[in-house]
C-alpha cells in the first residue's frame, strides 16, 4: 500500500507543461536532431554524448559520415524514412559507443564489417530492420566483446543457425528473436551458445515447432548445456503434444522462468476436441529447476490430476486468462514450494475444501475475476502460510469461509451483509459491494490489527447501533467514498462511528451526499492528518468540525458559500476548488486570507470562483478586489438610518392599531364558524384530480418536529380525520433506498403544489435547496404557481437573497411568512389551505393583496 496521505497531497498538483517535440539543436551534451529532414549526419561538437537522429532521411552511413566523437555513447539512427545502407566500419569514429539503435530502419545493405571497431558496444537494437538469417549466420557481430543485449525482433529471420563467433561474445545476456519466422531450432543451431548463461531468450511468435513435423530424435535439445533465466516461447501455437515433446526434449537444461503464454492448450469452454494438459505434459521439465511458469492466456478448462506433480521447485504459477472451470482432485499436488498461485480471469464458479490440497507454502492466491459464488468453509483454512487472498470481482454473498490472514481483497462481490465471524486482518477491501447497514462497519472496525479498510462504493445509509464503538482501534486508513452516510447521519444515528479511531491518519468521505457534519463526529480522530470531503454538499463548516491535528483537507466540489478562513489556518494544505462562493463583502476576509496565506492551496486559481451574485459568476476569487467593500459600508450605514426612520414610523402606526389586532384571532374564529354553518363543509365538495398528493411539503429534516406540530397535525388527513389534505413529505412518503433526487422529483411531479418551509435549517440543507430549484423549474415547465414558499423564523431578506434559486423566486413572486403571533395561525393555515386548493392560473388581484398584507404583519 502506498502512502495515501502523499497521494492526497499529490493528486491535485498541476502538471508541468509538456516539452516541445521537434527540435534541431545541441544542448551541451545531447544533439537532438529528430525529425529534422536530414539526409546526412549533421556536424556536432566533439563533446556530444548522445546523438539522436531518428525520423530523418539519411540513406548512407560510412566511415566518413561521423566526425571523431570520442565521447559519444548513444547513437539513435532508427526510423529513417528512406532505406539505409551501412558500409564497412561505419561507426569506427565512435570508439566509445554503448548503445546503437537502428530499429525500424529498413536496412537494404549491411556490410559484414559494419559493426566492427565497437569494443564498448553493449546494446544493439536491430528490430524491424528487414534482416534475414544471414545476420546470424555470417558473423556480423564478431568481436563485439561488450555486447550484452541484442534485439533482432520483427525481422525475417528463418533459421537460427549461429556463426561460431557467438561463442566469443562473453557478455551476451539477452537475445530477442520474437516475431520472426523461425520454425525450427535444433541442437546444432545454437551450439556456439552452449555453456553460456543467458538472462533472456525470446523465441515468441515464430510458429516455432508448430508448422513442421518434428523429429526430436534428430533435433535433440536446442538448449543443451545452457542456463536460461527466462525463456519465452509464447504465441507459437503450442498444443499439449508439442508442449510435452518440447519439455521432454529440453530435459536437463536449466530454465528458471518459462513463459508459455498465448498457447492453445486446453479444451476451452464447451469443447472437448482439444486436450487439457495432463500429468505427462510437463514431466520433462522435472530437471529444469523451473521456478516460474506462466501459462496465462490459453484455453485450459480443467486442471487435471497431478498436473504439476514434477515441478518441485516452482514458486510462481500463472494460470490467468484461461477457461478454468474445474479443479480436479489433487491438481496442485506436488507443488511443495509454490508461493504464488494466479488463477485470475477464469471461469471458476465454486471452490471446495479439497481444491488447494498440496500447497504447503502458498502465500498468495489470486482468484479475481472468476464467477465464484460459493466457497466451502475450509477451502483456505489449512493453508498455513497464506497471506493474501484476492477474490475481487466474483459473485460472493457471504464471507464465512474467510481465514484470518493479513490481506483480504473482496471488492466487486455481492455482499449485502457480513456475518459476525472471528476475523483478524491488516488490510481489507470491500469496495463495490452492497453493504447498507453501518453495523457492518462497526463490526469491521473491531477486526484486530486492521490498518487499512476500503469500503468505497457501497450503500451505507443506516444503522441499528447494536455495536458500541470500542476505543483505541488500530485502523490507520479508512476509505468510505461513494456511500450514503448523509441518510444515516441526518436522522441522528451513527454519529459515533469514528469514535474509537485514535490511530486513524487518513479518512476519505467523498461523495456521501453530506450536507452537514454531525457535531463532534471527528472529535476523537486525534491522529488524523488527511481528510477528504470532496464532492459533497456542505455549505458551511463550523469551528470544531475539523479534527485538531488535520494537515491536509480536500473540500473541493462542495457548496461552501462564505467560509471562515480561521478554519483552514492550522492546515498545511487545502483544496477548496469548485465551491459556490458568494462574492459579497462578507467574503473579503476569506479573499485576503487566500491572497497571503502560507497554507498550500491546491488547484488552479481559476477553479476557485464565485457562484453568486450572477454578475460575478465564474470570476476567480484571486481576480477580485476587496476595496469596494469600504464604500459599501458607507451605503450600509445610510441604509441603516433609513431603516431606523421607517421602523420608528411603523412602530407608531402599529401601536395605533394594536387594539384592533389584539382581537383579530377571535374575530377570525367567529367568521370561520359562521362560514362553515352557511356553506357546509368544503371537504365534500372537493373534486378529484390527477395528482397523487395535494402538496409536497419540503422542509429540512431538522424542522420535522415543528412541522408536525404546526402544520401536519392541522392539515394532513392521516394525522386527523378532520383534515382534508393528502400531503407528501420525505420522512413518511419517500421510498427508502431510492436515490434521493429521484424521490424528490417523484414527489414534485405527483403533487399539485409544493410548499417549501424556508427556515434557517432549510437554507443550510443542500437537499432542500436542490428541491427548491427543482420545484422552480417545474413552475417554469407548466407555467403554474405550483410553488408556495413559506418563510419560517426571522430570516432577513438578505439571507434569503443569498441563495440564487430563492432570490429568483422572491424577486418575482409573493411568499408567505409564518405568523409570529399565535392567534394568527388559524387564519394562516386557512390561507395556506386555499392556496393549496387553488387550481391556479387565475391568480386574482385580491389574492395578491392579501398575501402582501401577510408579509407586512410579520
Ligand atoms: C521538414 O519538411 C517538411 C515538409 O517539407 C516541413 O513541413 C517541415 O517543417 C520540415 N522540418 C524541419 C525541421 O525543417
Ligand atoms: C574537441 O575539439 C577541439 C578543437 O576543435 C579540441 O581542442 C579538443 O581537444 C577536442 N576535445 C576532445 C575531447 O576531443
Ligand atoms: C510428439 O512425440 C510423439 C512421440 O515421440 C510423436 O508421436 C508425436 O507425433 C509428436 N507430436 C508432435 C506434435 O510433434
Ligand atoms: C531426462 O534425462 C535424465 C538423465 O539425464 C533421464 O534419466 C530422464 O529419463 C530423462 N527424462 C526424460 C523425460 O526424457
Ligand atoms: C495474476 O495475473 C493477472 C493477469 O495477468 C495480473 O493482473 C495479476 O497481477 C496477477 N496476480 C499476481 C498476484 O501476480
Ligand atoms: C492504544 O493502543 C496502543 C497500541 O496500539 C497502545 O500503545 C496504547 O497504550 C493504547 N492506548 C490506550 C489509551 O489504550
Ligand atoms: C494580494 O496581495 C498583494 C500584495 O501581497 C496586493 O497587492 C493585492 O492587492 C492583494 N490582493 C487582494 C485581492 O487582496
Ligand atoms: C508565512 O510565513 C512567513 C515566514 O515563515 C511569516 O513571516 C508569515 O507571517 C506567515 N504568514 C502567515 C499568514 O502566517
Amino acid at each position: 500500500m502506498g502512502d495515501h496521505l502523499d497521494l492526497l497531497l499529490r493528486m491535485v498538483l498541476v502538471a508541468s507543461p509538456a516539452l516541445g517535440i521537434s527540435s534541431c539543436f545541441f544542448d551541451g551534451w545531447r544533439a537532438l536532431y529528430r525529425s529534422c529532414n536530414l539526409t546526412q549526419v549533421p556536424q556536432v561538437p566533439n563533446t556530444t554524448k548522445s546523438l539522436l537522429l531518428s525520423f530523418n532521411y539519411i540513406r548512407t552511413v560510412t566511415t566518413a559520415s561521423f566526425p571523431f566523437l570520442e565521447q559519444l555513447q548513444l547513437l539513435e539512427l532508427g526510423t529513417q524514412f528512406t532505406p539505409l545502407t551501412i558500409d564497412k566500419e561505419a561507426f569506427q569514429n565512435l570508439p566509445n559507443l554503448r548503445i546503437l539503435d537502428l530499429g525500424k530502419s529498413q536496412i537494404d545493405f549491411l556490410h559484414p564489417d559494419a559493426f566492427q571497431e565497437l569494443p564498448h558496444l553493449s546494446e544493439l537494437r536491430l528490430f524491424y530492420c528487414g534482416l534475414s538469417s544471414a545476420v546470424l549466420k555470417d558473423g556480423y557481430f564478431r568481436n563485439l566483446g561488450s555486447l550484452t543485449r541484442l534485439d533482432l525482433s520483427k525481422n525475417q529471420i528463418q533459421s537460427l543457425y549461429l556463426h561460431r563467433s557467438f561463442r566469443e561474445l562473453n557478455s551476451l545476456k539477452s537475445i530477442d528473436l520474437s516475431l520472426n519466422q523461425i520454425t525450427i531450432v535444433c541442437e546444432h543451431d545454437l551450439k556456439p551458445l552452449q555453456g553460456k548463461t543467458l538472462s533472456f531468450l525470446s523465441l515468441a511468435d515464430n510458429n516455432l515447432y508448430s508448422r513442421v513435423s518434428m523429429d526430436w530424435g534428430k533435433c535433440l535439445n536446442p538448449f543443451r548445456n545452457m542456463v536460461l533465466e527466462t525463456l519465452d516461447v509464447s504465441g507459437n501455437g503450442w498444443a499439449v503434444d508439442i508442449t510435452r515433446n518440447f519439455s521432454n526434449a529440453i530435459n536437463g537444461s536449466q530454465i528458471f522462468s518459462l513463459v508459455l503464454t498465448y498457447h492453445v492448450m486446453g479444451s476451452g469452454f464447451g469443447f472437448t476436441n482439444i486436450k487439457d494438459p495432463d500429468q505427462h505434459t510437463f514431466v520433462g521439465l522435472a530437471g529444469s529447476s523451473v521456478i516460474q511458469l506462466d501459462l496465462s492466456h490459453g484455453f485450459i478448462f480443467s486442471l487435471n490430476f497431478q498436473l504439476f506433480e514434477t515441478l518441485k521447485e516452482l514458486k510462481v504459477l500463472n494460470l490467468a486468462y484461461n477457461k478454468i472451470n474445474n479443479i480436479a482432485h489433487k491438481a496442485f499436488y506436488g507443488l511443495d514450494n509454490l508461493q504464488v498461485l494466479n488463477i485470475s480471469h477464469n471461469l471458476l464458479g465454486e471452490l471446495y475444501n479439497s481444491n488447494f490440497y498440496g500447497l504447503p507454502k502458498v502465500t498468495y492466491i489470486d482468484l479475481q475475476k472468476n464467477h465464484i459464488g460459493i466457497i466451502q468453509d475450509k477451502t483456505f483454512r489449512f493453508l498455513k502460510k497464506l497471506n493474501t487472498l484476492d477474490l475481487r470481482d466474483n459473485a460472493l454473498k457471504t464471507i464465512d469461509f474467510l481465514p484470518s490472514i493479513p490481506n483480504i481483497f473482496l471488492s466487486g462481490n455481492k455482499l449485502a451483509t457480513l456475518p459476525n465471524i472471528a476475523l483478524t486482518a491488516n488490510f481489507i477491501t470491500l469496495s463495490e459491494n452492497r453493504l447498507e447497514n453501518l453495523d457492518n462497519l462497526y463490526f469491521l472496525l473491531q477486526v484486530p490489527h486492521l490498518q487499512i479498510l476500503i469500503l468505497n462504493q457501497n450503500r451505507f445509509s443506516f444503522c441499528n447501533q447494536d455495536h458500541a464503538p470500542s476505543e483505541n482501534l488500530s485502523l490507520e486508513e479508512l476509505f468510505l467514498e461513494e456511500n450514503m452516510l448523509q441518510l444515516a447521519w441526518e436522522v441522528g444515528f451513527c454519529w459515533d462511528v469514528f469514535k474509537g479511531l485514535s490511530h486513524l491518519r487518513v479518512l476519505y468521505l467523498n461523495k456521501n451526499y453530506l450536507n452537514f457534519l454531525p457535531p463532534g463526529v471527528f472529535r476523537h480522530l486525534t491522529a488524523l492528518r488527511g481528510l477528504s470531503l470532496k464532492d459533497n454538499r456542505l455549505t458551511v463548516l463550523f469551528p470544531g468540525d475539523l479534527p485538531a491535528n488535520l494537515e491536509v483537507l480536500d473540500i473541493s466540489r462542495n457548496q461552501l458559500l462564505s467560509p471562515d478562513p480561521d478554519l483552514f489556518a492550522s492546515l498545511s494544505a487545502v483544496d477548496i476548488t469548485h465551491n459556490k462562493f458568494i462574492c459579497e463583502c462578507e467574503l473579503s476576509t476569506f479573499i485576503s486570507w487566500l491572497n497571503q496565506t502560507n497554507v498550500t492551496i491546491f488547484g488552479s486559481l481559476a477553479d476557485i470562483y464565485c457562484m453568486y451574485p450572477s454578475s460575478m459568476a465564474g470570476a476567480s476569487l484571486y481576480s477580485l478586489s476587496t476595496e469596494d467593500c469600504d464604500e459599501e459600508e458607507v451605503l450600509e450605514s445610510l441604509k441603516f438610518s433609513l431603516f431606523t426612520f421607517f421602523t420608528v414610523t411603523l412602530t407608531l402606526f402599529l401601536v395605533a392599531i394594536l387594539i384592533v389586532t389584539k382581537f383579530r384571532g377571535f374575530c377570525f374564529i367567529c367568521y370561520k364558524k359562521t362560514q362553515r354553518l352557511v356553506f357546509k363543509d368544503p371537504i365534500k365538495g372537493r373534486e378529484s384530480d390527477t395528482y397523487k398528493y395535494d402538496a409536497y411539503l419540503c422542509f429540512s429534516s431538522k424542522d420535522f418536529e415543528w412541522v408536525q406540530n404546526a402544520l401536519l397535525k392541522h392539515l394532513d388527513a392521516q394525522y386527523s380525520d378532520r383534515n382534508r389534505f393528502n400531503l407528501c413529505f420525505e420522512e413518511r412518503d419517500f421510498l427508502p433506498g431510492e436515490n434521493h433526487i429521484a424521490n424528490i422529483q417523484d414527489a414534485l411531479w405527483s403533487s399539485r403544489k409544493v410548499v417549501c418551509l424556508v427556515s434557517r435549517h432549510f437554507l443550510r440543507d443542500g437537499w432542500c435547496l436542490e428541491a427548491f430549484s427543482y420545484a422552480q423549474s417545474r413552475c417554469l415547465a407548466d407555467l403554474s404557481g405550483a410553488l408556495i414558499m413559506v418563510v419560517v423564523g426571522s430570516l432577513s431578506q438578505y439571507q434569503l437573497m443569498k441563495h440564487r434559486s430563492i432570490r429568483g423566486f422572491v424577486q418575482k413572486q409573493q411568499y408567505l411568512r409564518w405568523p409570529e403571533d399565535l392567534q394568527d395561525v388559524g387564519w394562516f393555515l386557512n390561507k395556506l389551505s386555499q392556496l393549496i386548493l387553488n387550481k391556479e392560473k387565475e391568480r386574482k388581484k385580491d389574492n395578491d393583496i392579501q398575501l402582501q398584507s401577510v408579509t407586512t404583519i410579520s
Side-chain angles (χ1 to χ4, degrees):
M1 276 295 112
D3 191 343
H4 293 280
L5 189 63
D6 275 348
L7 202 66
L8 189 68
L9 279 163
R10 252 183 283 122
M11 68 191 169
V12 276
L13 286 181
V14 196
S16 58
L19 295 163
I21 303 161
S22 156
S23 46
C24 309
F25 65 95
F26 176 77
D27 77 350
W29 58 276
R30 268 184 321 177
L32 294 138
Y33 287 92
R34 288 181 180 142
S35 304
C36 292
N37 296 343
L38 298 175
T39 54
Q40 56 186 5
V41 178
Q43 284 305 315
V44 292
N46 61 7
T47 52
T48 307
K49 287 185 176 160
S50 297
L51 179 51
L52 311 181
L53 296 171
S54 307
F55 310 102
N56 281 297
Y57 296 85
I58 299 170
R59 284 172 180 279
T60 323
V61 191
T62 65
T63 310
S65 297
F66 296 94
F68 186 69
L69 298 174
E70 197 183 3
Q71 306 199 13
L72 194 71
Q73 298 194 351
L74 168 66
L75 173 60
E76 236 188 53
L77 204 55
T79 324
Q80 298 304 315
F81 299 123
T82 48
L84 189 60
T85 293
I86 302 178
D87 216 344
K88 187 179 176 191
E89 294 173 6
F91 307 103
Q92 71 166 7
N93 279 342
L94 316 172
N96 283 308
L97 199 62
R98 304 286 150 100
I99 301 175
L100 176 56
D101 185 346
L102 292 161
K104 279 186 139 182
S105 285
Q106 171 68 32
I107 300 181
D108 270 7
F109 174 76
L110 184 63
H111 192 281
D113 291 335
F115 302 124
Q116 294 311 297
E117 307 297 326
L118 288 171
H120 298 290
L121 190 71
S122 81
E123 183 166 348
L124 184 51
R125 299 176 192 157
L126 287 169
F127 56 91
Y128 214 167
C129 290
L131 299 170
S132 70
S133 314
V135 79
L136 295 172
K137 190 160 62 83
D138 294 344
Y140 284 78
F141 307 115
R142 63 191 196 283
N143 301 324
L144 294 177
S146 303
L147 189 65
T148 312
R149 295 163 60 101
L150 178 58
D151 187 349
L152 282 165
S153 59
K154 303 191 183 108
N155 282 292
Q156 279 139 35
I157 300 170
Q158 293 180 337
S159 153
L160 202 46
Y161 188 81
L162 299 185
H163 188 261
R164 62 178 187 287
S165 61
F166 270 88
R167 189 178 300 283
E168 279 108 53
L169 303 183
N170 289 324
S171 302
L172 195 58
K173 286 282 165 218
S174 160
I175 310 175
D176 191 346
L177 289 159
S178 58
L179 288 151
N180 278 284
Q181 293 142 26
I182 305 164
T183 52
I184 278 197
V185 184
C186 289
E187 191 167 314
H188 67 276
D189 295 330
L190 297 183
K191 229 177 191 126
L193 295 183
Q194 287 186 8
K196 289 190 191 295
T197 297
L198 292 186
S199 62
F200 180 76
L201 175 62
S202 176
L203 291 165
D205 301 299
N206 273 287
N207 287 320
L208 186 67
Y209 304 132
S210 59
R211 294 287 164 89
V212 287
S213 81
M214 282 298 298
D215 181 354
W216 284 102
K218 264 192 183 161
C219 185
L220 302 175
N221 178 1
F223 309 120
R224 182 175 305 283
N225 229 341
M226 276 185 223
V227 176
L228 300 176
E229 278 163 24
T230 298
L231 172 65
D232 190 347
V233 286
S234 303
N236 281 311
W238 288 10
V240 169
D241 274 2
I242 301 178
T243 307
R244 186 189 57 228
N245 289 359
F246 174 78
S247 305
N248 288 338
I250 63 169
N251 182 12
S253 295
Q254 302 293 287
I255 298 172
F256 299 139
S257 173
L258 180 60
V259 183
L260 215 178
T261 64
Y262 295 96
H263 56 83
V264 298
M265 287 186 277
S267 56
F269 181 75
F271 298 94
T272 51
N273 49 344
I274 303 181
K275 278 192 292 178
D276 282 308
D278 59 23
Q279 208 180 350
H280 308 291
T281 311
F282 304 109
V283 151
L285 298 176
S288 292
S289 308
V290 180
I291 290 169
Q292 295 195 31
L293 178 60
D294 190 345
L295 293 171
S296 60
H297 296 278
F299 301 88
I300 302 172
F301 179 76
S302 179
L303 292 177
N304 286 329
F305 174 74
Q306 299 197 354
L307 176 59
F308 305 108
E309 187 191 17
T310 52
L311 303 177
K312 299 282 180 211
E313 291 167 65
L314 198 65
K315 287 190 177 155
V316 181
L317 176 58
N318 191 353
L319 293 163
Y321 289 104
N322 276 280
K323 310 280 177 202
I324 299 167
N325 174 259
N326 178 40
I327 300 178
H329 179 58
K330 289 188 169 179
F332 297 115
Y333 191 80
L335 290 171
D336 295 341
N337 284 298
L338 196 74
Q339 291 173 2
V340 180
L341 176 60
N342 195 343
I343 321 183
S344 62
H345 299 85
N346 274 287
L347 300 175
L348 290 169
E350 60 277 311
L351 296 177
Y352 297 98
N353 284 347
S354 62
N355 280 161
F356 299 107
Y357 278 174
L359 294 170
K361 293 198 180 156
V362 78
T363 60
Y364 196 136
I365 299 185
D366 190 345
L367 287 161
Q368 60 177 310
K369 298 257 185 196
N370 278 275
H371 304 281
I372 302 167
I374 186 159
I375 297 180
Q376 226 179 339
D377 63 342
K378 294 193 185 60
T379 306
F380 302 109
R381 289 200 198 277
F382 60 90
L383 301 172
K384 293 290 174 240
K385 294 276 169 62
L386 193 63
N387 175 302
T388 304
L389 186 54
D390 192 341
L391 283 161
R392 277 178 287 181
D393 299 310
N394 278 289
L396 293 167
K397 290 186 171 161
T398 179
I399 57 161
D400 43 19
F401 60 87
L402 262 194
S404 280
I405 56 170
N407 304 305
I408 300 170
F409 293 85
L410 281 164
S411 318
N413 278 283
K414 295 184 176 170
L415 297 165
T417 182
L418 303 178
N420 210 341
I421 56 171
L423 185 64
T424 306
N426 300 133
F427 170 90
I428 299 178
T429 171
L430 279 160
S431 297
E432 293 174 72
N433 275 284
R434 299 167 183 185
L435 300 172
E436 294 184 332
N437 192 335
L438 276 145
D439 291 351
N440 292 310
L441 175 56
Y442 283 89
F443 159 69
L444 287 167
L445 291 179
Q446 305 206 11
V447 169
H449 308 304
L450 192 61
Q451 287 173 349
I452 300 175
L453 177 58
I454 306 181
L455 290 164
N456 299 338
Q457 289 177 279
N458 276 279
R459 301 172 185 174
F460 284 119
S461 51
F462 67 96
C463 68
N464 308 330
Q465 279 194 314
D466 288 343
H467 305 269
S470 46
E471 303 291 322
N472 203 17
L473 299 167
S474 56
L475 197 70
E476 290 177 10
E477 298 180 19
L478 176 57
F479 295 75
L480 278 165
E481 291 172 39
E482 296 187 57
N483 279 282
M484 293 183 276
L485 286 181
Q486 169 69 20
L487 298 184
W489 283 351
E490 74 186 8
V491 291
F493 289 132
C494 316
W495 287 13
D496 62 356
V497 64
F498 303 133
K499 196 172 168 205
L501 302 176
S502 53
H503 295 102
L504 195 69
R505 288 188 303 110
V506 181
L507 174 60
Y508 280 79
L509 291 172
N510 307 12
K511 292 201 181 172
N512 268 287
Y513 303 97
L514 298 176
N515 61 34
F516 79 108
L517 295 172
V521 71
F522 302 135
R523 188 172 44 224
H524 301 275
L525 304 180
T526 47
L528 199 73
R529 295 291 180 272
L531 173 62
S532 179
L533 290 164
K534 187 179 169 176
D535 263 314
N536 280 292
R537 293 156 174 269
L538 298 168
T539 49
V540 279
L541 281 180
F542 294 103
D545 272 354
L546 300 178
N549 299 316
L550 195 67
E551 286 168 6
V552 182
L553 171 67
D554 185 350
I555 190 156
S556 60
R557 296 186 189 274
N558 274 273
Q559 303 177 354
L560 292 183
L561 301 170
S562 187
D564 176 359
D566 291 346
L567 285 164
F568 307 131
S570 58
L571 301 174
S572 63
V574 64
D575 186 347
I576 44 166
T577 54
H578 300 288
N579 272 285
K580 301 202 168 171
F581 298 112
I582 302 182
C583 291
E584 288 175 355
C585 284
E586 264 183 40
L587 199 66
S588 58
T589 46
F590 183 72
I591 292 176
S592 40
W593 172 80
L594 213 52
N595 191 23
Q596 42 96 43
T597 181
N598 287 345
V599 177
T600 309
I601 310 286
F602 286 137
S604 110
L605 307 185
D607 292 337
I608 304 176
Y609 48 77
C610 309
M611 189 58 102
Y612 318 106
S614 41
S615 60
M616 300 239 215
S620 165
L621 255 54
Y622 289 90
S623 68
L624 301 182
S625 155
T626 51
E627 278 165 24
D628 304 346
C629 282
D630 305 337
E631 283 168 36
E632 231 166 79
E633 266 163 31
V634 177
L635 258 182
E636 286 292 317
S637 60
L638 182 64
K639 270 192 216 155
F640 181 73
S641 24
L642 278 175
F643 171 75
T644 324
F645 172 74
F646 275 112
T647 320
V648 171
T649 322
L650 197 66
T651 317
L652 290 175
F653 175 69
L654 284 179
V655 167
I657 60 165
L658 188 66
I659 310 297
V660 183
T661 45
K662 198 123 189 139
F663 298 103
R664 67 179 186 275
F666 180 69
C667 296
F668 180 69
I669 292 165
C670 298
Y671 160 75
K672 267 322 257 193
K673 279 214 173 116
T674 326
Q675 193 196 34
R676 225 171 270 159
L677 283 175
V678 178
F679 298 106
K680 302 279 183 267
D681 200 334
I683 298 175
K684 298 185 181 84
R686 223 184 102 206
E687 46 193 305
S688 66
D689 57 15
T690 50
Y691 291 104
K692 187 166 156 204
Y693 303 108
D694 293 299
Y696 163 39
L697 275 192
C698 169
F699 51 86
S700 164
S701 50
K702 291 189 189 154
D703 293 329
F704 180 67
E705 210 142 293
W706 177 84
V707 175
Q708 179 160 281
N709 289 328
L711 284 167
L712 293 174
K713 283 188 181 159
H714 304 288
L715 295 177
D716 186 80
Q718 275 191 24
Y719 277 82
S720 157
D721 292 341
R722 287 182 315 154
N723 297 337
R724 64 175 90 168
F725 288 119
N726 186 9
L727 299 176
C728 166
F729 56 94
E730 178 181 338
E731 279 69 7
R732 182 182 67 195
D733 300 306
F734 277 23
L735 284 177
E738 176 76 76
N739 177 325
H740 205 73
I741 296 283
N743 263 325
I744 291 176
Q745 293 279 24
D746 206 40
L748 279 174
W749 290 103
S750 42
S751 307
R752 178 143 31 81
K753 293 290 165 78
V754 181
V755 181
C756 285
L757 301 166
V758 179
S759 66
R760 228 166 259 285
H761 291 137
F762 186 98
L763 292 179
R764 277 192 208 140
D765 187 327
W767 284 120
C768 289
L769 292 172
E770 198 82 15
F772 192 94
S773 322
Y774 282 123
Q776 235 185 340
S777 38
R778 180 188 145 188
C779 290
L780 290 176
D782 60 8
L783 291 172
S784 67
L787 177 57
I788 302 166
M789 171 168 145
V790 180
V791 175
V792 184
S794 55
L795 286 172
S796 69
Q797 188 85 354
Y798 172 74
Q799 280 166 307
L800 292 175
M801 297 293 258
K802 262 192 194 176
H803 303 274
R804 190 178 46 176
S805 47
I806 295 185
R807 184 171 50 226
F809 184 83
V810 169
Q811 281 166 348
K812 286 194 218 86
Q813 273 158 304
Q814 296 295 342
Y815 59 91
L816 301 172
R817 260 184 196 275
W818 184 261
E820 274 164 16
D821 195 335
L822 265 185
Q823 60 174 333
D824 293 328
V825 169
W827 181 86
F828 177 87
L829 288 177
N830 186 52
K831 191 77 246 163
L832 185 61
S833 308
Q834 279 178 15
L835 281 175
I836 293 175
L837 284 174
N838 198 352
K839 282 267 166 10
E840 265 314 317
K841 285 212 172 126
E842 71 293 276
R843 289 196 323 154
K844 290 192 198 96
K845 272 258 160 67
D846 58 50
N847 202 5
D848 277 358
I849 292 162
Q850 279 170 340
L851 282 173
Q852 185 59 53
S853 66
V854 177
T855 39
T856 23
I857 282 171
S858 49

